[in-house]
Amino acid sequence: MAVHSYFDLSPLSRRKFLYHILLAGGAAAATSLISACNAGSTAATAEATAGVQPSTTPTPAADLLARLRGLDFDTFIDESFRTWVLRDPEMMTIGGLAGYCGMRNDQLTDLTDEFIRQTQALEAGILELLNGFDTNTLTPDQAITTLIYGWAFDDCVRQQPFVYHDYPVNPMVNCISYNIFALFTDLHPLSTRQDAEDYLACFSQLATKWDQLLVSLGYREELGVVLPRRVMPDAIQSLRDVITGSRDDVIYTYVFEDRISQIPELTGEDIDTMVSQMQTTAAESVVPAYQRLIDHFTSLQATAPTDIGVWQFPNGLEYYAQCLRRNTTTELTAEEIHNLGLENAERVAAEMRAEFDALGYPADDDMQTSMNRLYEDGGDVSGAAAVAAFQDAIDVGYSYLERTFDLIPTTPVEVIGGEQGNFLSPAPLDGSRPGYFYAATSWTIPRYNIASIAFHETYPGHHLQLALCNELDIPVARKFFGFTGFVEGWALYAERLMWELGVYENNPIGNLGRLNMELLRAVRLVADTGMHALQWTWDQVSEYQTQVLGYPTERERYMVMPGQATSYYIGFLKILELRQRTMDALGANFDLKAFHRVVLQNGSVPLSVLEQLVDSYIQSQA
């Protein structure tokens, strides 16, 4: 089975992908769910007063905290969240919060150690002030806000000792270099003259940011934290793909020119002037800065670690435990998660074997052979046929919503074909556009995967949950935090829910595709923990995946995003567990719509908080 990604493409195809596809908004899918602690580890200076541009001197955390003392609860939540977001203007821009913050989108995030430490002090201070409120005086909704907000900032504080344990440049999407790439290709607003001027202001700061990044990479190297050798070439290539041999040629220039040409208030002369300014900045600072990063990583290749897990770094196991906690929002240990993966992978594989037997497949065929036959029997789609197939599946998902939901978002989702895809670009918080599901048209997609992908990404999965969150009457902070265990757990639960509703009753091949996707998520628990906690080698991970899943996949992802891949199945299992607990407690009075309302009506929440919410609901009904 082929696993397609940006890094499967040739260099020429990559540049074509960057230019044409990201203009359509594809990058948003990878960066729209911003985890609570990411902003805490990098920060930038800004003032919270509307219309006042950021000063060049960072405001000390003590001064910022002084402004937050003595506020009533609701005002404190709003002002502390705004103050925190302003420490990371890139996050503010990507999150569409400039209007909320009273700022322009003209700043990049500062990576200096001094400012990071100031931000860490601010996070610790916000948590302390939050804990100072008397919970007995809060309304029920304020109490929920305390649980969610408190978990987020407690997580920020827990992350602080590991600020230099990550890989800020890597071949995947969870890094500073990709966030910048996404910002300048897709996520920075470009609808007005002011937007264009803000974009140019940010671009002029990029070389400084990369020099700050080089310093922070030095801090990591002093700790021994260096990107593993196996993915170093792809990381270097991801930087090279942004620039060409020409001193003023960067992919951002093409994107900028294309997008500002659609701004009505700009004349042809305005566009020429702005593009010329971009080219000058690129030649004088941006291209040389990218080259410095490329040279830095090139010099590290020969001595980069051959081991692939974070266990090898100082306090590596403690760091991984924090990665697991942050991504799953539970207290499960690596050993517990590993064993859950082994247990559930065996169970799901057995379910698949029974389905294969029902289709008459030879009982002694291994998983790879059976999956290859399934592909042949089910066929595939590509091009316009793939777009149509996804649209049909999304329509099916939507048609089932009223059976099990009484909270349904009004924001629509649109299907867009493109070279890369099969993911959702969520609707923004301001409702300025619908959600976009990008359907890949440049490769063949097994038919058995179409429905499960559509249900996961749109209805009743990501789009239902994320668009509904935008429409809820809850504080902005609660709309903003995206807890991975909840978000991805819900989307995987959505896949199973459609099976429970009978969608696959006459489609055994599609159901096997669903089970294979569930098996992948269970295998992730084993592979991720094996790599980072049990010191598995590349070959050990590959052998396990091939034996159980039928093919090796996603190993680079686990390597540079420790813990993230475990969030799907842990969240899925928790939601199923809480649903069963509710059914057992309420018996004949159990209402699936009511249960889904409890799960969704507070936006994205840590799984530990979700458990409290469900238990409270059970008590209220009992």
Side-chain angles (χ1 to χ4, degrees):
M1 177 183 296
V3 179
H4 297 275
S5 72
Y6 165 73
F7 292 96
D8 293 327
L9 305 175
S10 68
L12 179 62
S13 296
R14 288 181 187 179
R15 286 185 62 80
K16 185 177 180 183
F17 166 55
L18 302 186
Y19 177 44
H20 292 290
I21 301 306
L22 286 179
L23 282 176
T31 53
S32 59
L33 302 180
I34 303 171
S35 65
C37 60
N38 286 345
S41 60
T42 58
T45 179
E47 297 290 337
T49 305
V52 178
Q53 290 307 297
S55 65
T56 57
T57 303
T59 303
D63 292 345
L64 294 172
L65 289 168
R67 303 175 189 176
L68 301 176
R69 290 191 174 90
L71 300 176
D72 65 82
F73 181 82
D74 289 339
T75 305
F76 167 77
I77 295 296
D78 189 61
E79 289 301 320
S80 61
F81 176 68
R82 182 182 288 109
T83 301
W84 179 69
V85 168
L86 284 168
R87 305 289 289 186
D88 191 339
E90 291 168 26
M91 181 175 65
M92 178 190 72
T93 296
I94 290 171
L97 295 173
Y100 167 77
C101 293
M103 299 297 295
R104 286 167 51 181
N105 293 305
D106 64 347
Q107 297 290 311
L108 293 185
T109 297
D110 191 325
L111 299 181
T112 60
D113 184 73
E114 176 186 2
F115 206 86
I116 288 172
R117 302 306 177 187
Q118 285 286 338
T119 303
Q120 291 180 337
L122 174 65
E123 291 166 348
I126 288 175
L127 182 61
E128 182 180 0
L129 290 174
L130 178 68
N131 291 336
F133 282 94
D134 182 357
T135 56
N136 293 321
T137 66
L138 301 180
T139 67
D141 193 61
Q142 289 173 331
I144 294 173
T145 297
T146 300
L147 292 174
I148 298 168
Y149 205 60
W151 200 101
F153 277 92
D154 176 69
D155 184 61
C156 287
V157 173
R158 289 171 183 260
Q159 182 71 14
Q160 289 176 2
F162 309 109
V163 67
Y164 293 125
H165 274 65
D166 63 347
Y167 305 123
V169 176
N170 70 60
M172 305 303 285
V173 300
N174 67 320
C175 61
I176 293 170
S177 59
Y178 183 84
N179 287 345
I180 283 293
F181 166 75
L183 180 72
F184 283 115
T185 53
D186 179 58
L187 301 180
H188 195 291
L190 274 177
S191 300
T192 67
R193 177 187 294 274
Q194 185 66 72
D195 290 340
E197 292 174 354
D198 289 348
Y199 183 107
L200 289 171
C202 288
F203 192 67
S204 70
Q205 301 162 38
L206 186 50
T208 298
K209 183 182 182 73
W210 282 167
D211 287 339
Q212 292 171 349
L213 177 59
L214 281 168
V215 173
S216 75
L217 288 169
Y219 296 149
R220 289 171 172 85
E221 289 159 33
E222 290 175 7
L223 292 172
V225 178
V226 176
L227 188 68
R229 189 181 307 177
R230 185 172 287 274
V231 292
M232 189 75 79
D234 277 344
I236 294 170
Q237 189 60 52
S238 70
L239 297 171
R240 285 180 176 151
D241 285 339
V242 176
I243 63 176
T244 69
S246 174
R247 295 283 291 178
D248 64 354
D249 187 12
V250 294
I251 193 69
Y252 307 140
T253 303
Y254 304 130
V255 173
F256 180 72
E257 183 175 10
D258 186 277
R259 293 183 66 191
I260 66 171
S261 67
Q262 302 171 42
I263 300 177
E265 62 186 292
L266 295 182
T267 66
E269 183 178 355
D270 291 332
I271 294 171
D272 290 343
T273 299
M274 289 180 171
V275 171
S276 177
Q277 183 178 341
M278 276 278 290
Q279 291 172 333
T280 299
T281 303
E284 293 180 353
S285 66
V286 172
V287 171
Y290 266 94
Q291 191 60 54
R292 288 193 291 275
L293 278 176
I294 292 169
D295 292 344
H296 174 82
F297 282 101
T298 301
S299 70
L300 289 175
Q301 281 194 92
T303 58
T306 55
D307 290 319
I308 58 177
V310 297
W311 56 264
Q312 65 189 298
F313 302 137
N315 301 315
L317 291 178
E318 292 82 356
Y319 168 58
Y320 184 55
Q322 166 58 16
C323 290
L324 292 176
R325 185 183 187 276
R326 181 174 73 246
N327 282 289
T328 68
T329 61
T330 71
E331 303 298 331
L332 291 171
T333 66
E335 181 181 9
E336 291 169 330
I337 291 173
H338 190 84
N339 290 334
L340 278 171
L342 290 171
E343 174 188 339
N344 283 279
E346 182 179 359
R347 175 186 57 79
V348 178
E351 290 183 30
M352 291 185 68
R353 185 69 264 163
E355 293 292 322
F356 286 135
D357 291 344
L359 288 174
Y361 289 14
D364 56 351
D365 280 354
D366 60 19
M367 183 64 76
Q368 184 177 31
T369 302
S370 296
M371 288 302 298
N372 286 340
R373 179 170 175 179
L374 188 71
Y375 181 92
E376 294 174 0
D377 290 348
D380 55 42
V381 291
S382 61
V387 176
F390 275 117
Q391 183 66 69
D392 289 344
I394 291 170
D395 290 343
V396 169
Y398 185 80
S399 71
Y400 275 75
L401 294 186
E402 291 188 355
R403 303 186 188 188
T404 55
F405 296 95
D406 56 15
L407 287 178
I408 299 174
T410 60
T411 304
V413 63
E414 295 182 4
V415 180
I416 300 175
E419 288 188 32
Q420 300 292 300
N422 303 349
F423 54 75
L424 177 76
S425 176
L429 189 62
D430 60 11
S432 58
R433 66 163 176 81
Y436 290 152
F437 175 79
Y438 290 93
T441 58
S442 59
W443 67 76
T444 57
I445 305 168
R447 282 192 179 275
Y448 61 68
N449 275 344
I450 293 291
S452 56
I453 292 173
F455 300 152
H456 182 102
E457 299 293 337
T458 62
Y459 301 112
H462 281 323
H463 179 71
L464 171 71
Q465 185 262 312
L466 295 170
L468 179 63
C469 181
N470 287 349
E471 297 175 13
L472 292 172
D473 183 19
I474 56 177
V476 173
R478 283 168 53 182
K479 296 183 179 185
F480 183 78
F481 290 126
F483 298 100
T484 316
F486 178 91
V487 173
E488 295 298 350
W490 172 264
L492 182 52
Y493 169 79
E495 295 180 43
R496 179 186 174 91
L497 177 66
M498 294 303 289
W499 168 71
E500 293 172 336
L501 294 175
V503 171
Y504 296 100
E505 188 170 332
N506 298 312
N507 182 12
I509 289 178
N511 188 47
L512 273 163
R514 176 193 69 84
L515 285 169
N516 184 250
M517 295 291 281
E518 182 181 342
L519 181 60
L520 168 62
R521 277 51 169 263
V523 164
R524 284 174 176 172
L525 303 187
V526 181
D528 197 291
T529 54
M531 181 182 293
H532 294 294
L534 303 182
Q535 302 186 23
W536 281 15
T537 65
W538 179 269
D539 289 341
Q540 283 178 288
V541 175
S542 302
E543 289 167 6
Y544 171 76
Q545 289 183 320
T546 301
Q547 176 187 352
V548 178
L549 194 59
Y551 52 92
T553 184
E554 300 185 329
R555 292 156 295 177
E556 296 89 348
R557 168 185 178 166
Y558 309 149
M559 193 186 310
V560 301
M561 302 170 68
Q564 192 275 344
T566 67
S567 61
Y568 297 69
Y569 213 72
I570 296 301
F572 165 73
L573 291 176
K574 177 55 70 174
I575 294 173
L576 285 180
E577 173 196 329
L578 294 176
R579 189 180 70 176
Q580 188 61 51
R581 183 185 304 179
T582 308
M583 293 172 67
D584 292 343
L586 302 185
N589 292 324
F590 173 78
D591 183 339
L592 186 57
K593 286 186 178 182
F595 174 77
H596 287 159
R597 187 189 320 125
V598 172
V599 173
L600 295 174
Q601 66 186 356
N602 289 293
S604 174
V605 301
L607 295 178
S608 56
V609 174
L610 179 63
E611 186 162 13
Q612 295 181 61
L613 295 172
V614 171
D615 285 343
S616 294
Y617 167 72
I618 292 173
Q619 292 173 10
S620 70
Q621 296 304 298

